[in-house]
Amino acid sequence: MNVEELRIPLDNTDVSIIKFGNGPKSFVILPGLSVLPYNGLGTAIASGFKIFTPDYTCYFIPPKNLLPQKYSLKEVTEDTYRVIKKLGLSKVDFSGFSMGGMLCMQMAISHPEIVNKISLASTTPCLEKPYQQTFIDWISLAKSKDAEKLFDNFGQKIYSNEYYQKYADALTFVAKSITDENLTHFITLANAILEFDIIDNLSKIKCPVQYLGAKGDKVLNGERTEKYLKSKIVCYESYLYDGYSHAVNNEAPDFCHRIIEFFNKA
């Protein structure tokens, strides 16, 4: 499988995207909040989405590399839209995990003409108070530059206990590579998530929507999100997993199969 890591110029910085697959349809993947950048991970990321590559040309698009201190998710969406237009894409199937799901919903509201379908995972249209504390704690750890504690807490929250215990040592090792620049980037996007709220605009989403979440999500309330979306979006389907936490995209073995089945429905 051919994998390209590209840098798309944008204002005074650029966006590091990963392109793979050679199918006729366009698939854009918007990732969640991350402490570390995705540079050099193209092959690993592409392998996780390999079932899409016969039918799709896939684009993994994170936020731009250099962020202003104040940067809303609506602004992230607008910059992502600009990248998509630079790539020459017109009608796109989207998948978004966590923060990426927020961007997908905002994209469907702000630029419905480019959205075919969206698959959302472990996300929310509004971060309710009981779930804000996790992000506040992460921001505090990032500001104190306690990278190892931040990465450990991040892992404990997003993964199931079994998965976390399996990879705890690896997470500790990787945390040693976190830079001050990574922490600043993380803080900006975590603050943007805290302020995100599109509850009043959900009914503007007219495209088909899929939601995949977990009943045991330790970061967001998957069941609450399911109710929000079901009440506001006409063409909607969902599935909530048992036995996982936030990162169902990493742990559930049928995660990508559910997405492609949804995309392939008439």
Side-chain angles (χ1 to χ4, degrees):
M1 175 171 48
N2 185 42
V3 180
E4 298 177 76
E5 297 198 25
L6 309 172
R7 296 177 80 95
I8 306 297
L10 198 70
D11 300 327
N12 63 331
T13 182
D14 54 25
V15 180
S16 300
I17 76 165
I18 300 163
K19 179 183 177 182
F20 55 95
N22 55 9
K25 295 187 285 186
S26 298
F27 178 33
V28 166
I29 303 147
L30 302 181
L33 179 66
S34 176
V35 185
L36 284 167
Y38 297 95
N39 301 341
L41 297 177
T43 300
I45 288 169
S47 68
F49 290 93
K50 62 184 178 183
I51 66 168
F52 291 90
T53 56
D55 298 322
Y56 286 91
T57 299
C58 309
Y59 303 86
F60 182 93
I61 308 179
K64 60 189 180 183
N65 291 313
L66 182 63
L67 305 181
Q69 189 173 3
K70 184 77 171 173
Y71 191 45
S72 70
L73 290 192
K74 189 171 184 179
E75 290 172 309
V76 181
T77 303
E78 289 306 308
D79 283 340
T80 303
Y81 173 77
R82 291 165 63 199
V83 170
I84 288 170
K85 298 311 287 184
K86 279 175 176 271
L87 292 168
L89 310 182
S90 55
K91 204 69 173 176
V92 177
D93 286 325
F94 284 85
S95 174
F97 165 71
S98 194
M99 180 185 75
M102 299 174 190
L103 300 177
C104 284
M105 288 185 281
Q106 185 65 64
M107 189 72 74
I109 292 166
S110 300
H111 300 286
E113 73 282 356
I114 69 162
V115 180
N116 185 40
K117 292 184 178 183
I118 57 175
S119 176
L120 310 171
S122 300
T123 192
T124 180
C126 173
L127 193 62
E128 296 177 309
K129 253 188 178 172
Y131 297 91
Q132 291 178 3
Q133 192 59 49
T134 292
F135 291 86
I136 292 169
D137 291 344
W138 288 345
I139 290 167
S140 177
L141 288 169
K143 284 182 175 178
S144 67
K145 299 185 180 179
D146 195 341
E148 289 192 32
K149 192 170 181 180
L150 169 62
F151 213 58
D152 181 68
N153 187 280
F154 194 76
Q156 288 190 53
K157 288 286 188 181
I158 70 170
Y159 297 123
S160 65
N161 293 336
E162 182 181 357
Y163 192 92
Y164 168 76
Q165 292 299 331
K166 184 177 179 180
Y167 293 104
D169 290 342
L171 292 172
T172 301
F173 177 78
V174 172
K176 298 181 188 299
S177 66
I178 296 171
T179 66
D180 288 353
E181 186 180 61
N182 298 151
L183 294 173
T184 300
H185 197 273
F186 177 88
I187 290 166
T188 298
L189 292 174
N191 275 319
I193 290 170
L194 280 172
E195 296 174 1
F196 184 71
D197 185 350
I198 56 165
I199 289 291
D200 292 339
N201 290 317
L202 272 180
S203 59
K204 294 180 181 179
I205 298 177
K206 304 301 182 184
C207 67
V209 175
Q210 176 192 56
Y211 177 68
L212 302 174
K215 295 175 184 177
D217 193 330
K218 291 177 280 188
V219 178
L220 302 174
N221 188 328
E223 292 172 284
R224 184 72 170 163
T225 297
E226 184 185 39
K227 289 177 183 176
Y228 273 138
L229 300 180
K230 191 173 183 178
S231 68
K232 298 287 186 179
I233 297 172
V234 174
C235 192
Y236 171 76
E237 65 177 60
S238 65
Y239 182 81
L240 292 179
Y241 289 94
D242 285 307
Y244 302 122
S245 181
H246 191 62
V248 292
N249 58 319
N250 291 127
E251 295 195 56
D254 64 344
F255 179 78
C256 282
H257 291 277
R258 288 186 180 277
I259 296 173
I260 203 163
E261 284 176 8
F262 168 67
F263 286 168
N264 285 337
K265 286 182 180 177

